Amino acid sequence: MQIQMIGTGSAFSKKYFNNNALVYTEDYTLLIDCGITAPMALHKLNKPVQEIDGILITHLHADHVGGVEELAFQSKFLNIPKPKLFISAKLLPVLWENSLKAGLSDGKGNGLEDFFEIVEMNENEETTISPSLHIEIIQTEHVPNKLSYSLFINQDLFYSADMQFNPSLLAHIHEGRKCRTIMHDCQLEDPGTVHATLNQLLTLPEEIQEKILLMHYGDHMEDFIGKTGKMTFMEQQKRYTFESNE
Ligand SMILES: Nc1ccn([C@@H]2O[C@@H]3COP(=O)(O)O[C@H]3[C@H]2O)c(=O)n1
Ligand SMILES: [Zn+2]
Ligand SMILES: [Zn+2]
């Protein structure tokens, strides 16, 4: 499996695209989150919508869903098979009613199913995306009272949606779940309210830090190179290969 961040930036970054990822397996290409900048980021990678089999949404901030309207219209008017939309069953109605309906509605009662083949995901259950790609969503704290889901990918890689610092969960991912990789959003400066900050992540034991790839960072990331302990910044557009754990 390979993961390519089409962007690694924070919500308000002007230098990096939104923190969205392409996951490639031999038989599937999945886009994790589709923010405002996703259409341009995909264009820069020469990755047309026809080459994306499905999208998965973690939560409803614009840097994670702001590009879904364009993707929906593009696939509809290009007359290509509907991409799949993987989303928590709890988030699905909110995505339509509170985010996409204004732009995608035809006024005649259409819905998201007119643009996507919808696959509802249940919390704490693995969903088969393709024969070699399985994803479990777990609810993690981000903005109070706002649903947000982090991901276990093939029970080996933890992908944080935007989340607050949660050292006990990270210890569980490391010890209990035995994940080999942790991709974590990172706010470069304190205080952390809705994201984990670099200083908070630096309090983690080194054996956990060694597993952490940092993403969702601000424009001054380069000032922090060499100051991330055992953790590493991810680079947008670079393809990272993760070997199967079997
Ligand atoms: N309670 C909140 C809500 C939002 N925010 C900021 O808005 C951004 C929305 O996208 P994000 O990537 O979740 O980062 C959020 C915060 O920067 C914030 O700082 N505090
Ligand atoms: Zn975000
Ligand atoms: Zn967010």
Side-chain angles (χ1 to χ4, degrees), residues 11 59 63-64 162 195 216:
H59 71 293
D63 55 322
H64 301 263
D162 297 353
H195 291 281
H216 204 295

Side-chain angles (χ1 to χ4, degrees), residues 9-12 19 59 61-64 142-144 146 162-163 185 187 193-195 216:
S10 64
F12 311 137
N19 197 81
H59 71 293
H61 278 144
D63 55 322
H64 301 263
H142 178 32
V143 173
K146 183 173 180 63
D162 297 353
M163 64 179 256
D185 58 311
Q187 183 180 307
T193 50
V194 301
H195 291 281
H216 204 295

Side-chain angles (χ1 to χ4, degrees), residues 2-13:
Q2 290 188 321
I3 297 186
Q4 180 180 39
M5 302 304 299
I6 66 169
T8 51
S10 64
F12 311 137
S13 170

Side-chain angles (χ1 to χ4, degrees), residues 53-90:
D53 299 303
I55 66 173
L56 185 154
I57 299 300
T58 62
H59 71 293
L60 304 188
H61 278 144
D63 55 322
H64 301 263
V65 292
V68 177
E69 177 180 313
E70 178 170 333
L71 203 89
F73 276 137
Q74 275 204 32
S75 53
K76 189 165 181 79
F77 295 116
L78 286 171
N79 264 324
I80 57 172
K82 290 179 194 167
K84 285 194 175 173
L85 170 63
F86 298 93
I87 185 165
S88 148
K90 289 186 190 166

Side-chain angles (χ1 to χ4, degrees), residues 101-215:
K101 188 175 175 181
L104 292 179
S105 168
D106 63 2
K108 294 186 257 175
N110 68 335
L112 268 178
E113 63 282 359
D114 292 297
F115 300 91
F116 297 101
E117 186 183 334
I118 293 166
V119 181
E120 295 186 21
M121 302 177 85
N122 296 314
E123 297 167 8
N124 310 314
E125 278 179 24
E126 206 166 56
T127 298
T128 297
I129 310 289
S130 79
S132 55
L133 185 58
H134 307 272
I135 298 185
E136 174 186 343
I137 54 170
I138 65 157
Q139 204 183 320
T140 42
E141 289 301 312
H142 178 32
V143 173
N145 305 315
K146 183 173 180 63
L147 274 178
S148 182
Y149 294 92
S150 295
L151 316 174
F152 283 107
I153 302 180
N154 287 343
Q155 295 298 338
D156 191 37
L157 185 151
F158 179 79
Y159 182 105
S160 79
D162 297 353
M163 64 179 256
Q164 297 174 26
F165 185 52
N166 187 338
S168 57
L169 174 62
L170 293 167
H172 170 69
I173 290 161
H174 167 66
E175 285 283 356
R177 296 276 197 137
K178 305 266 184 247
C179 284
R180 288 184 295 179
T181 309
I182 298 171
M183 292 172 60
H184 209 299
D185 58 311
C186 173
Q187 183 180 307
L188 296 170
E189 269 144 3
D190 295 314
T193 50
V194 301
H195 291 281
T197 68
L198 178 56
N199 279 332
Q200 288 174 320
L201 293 167
L202 281 166
T203 65
L204 292 166
E206 286 195 346
E207 66 264 28
I208 298 183
Q209 288 188 34
E210 277 166 359
K211 294 184 170 180
I212 294 183
L213 298 172
L214 301 168
M215 56 184 188

Side-chain angles (χ1 to χ4, degrees), residues 69 96-105:
E69 177 180 313
W96 176 251
E97 285 297 328
N98 295 11
S99 181
L100 295 173
K101 188 175 175 181
L104 292 179
S105 168

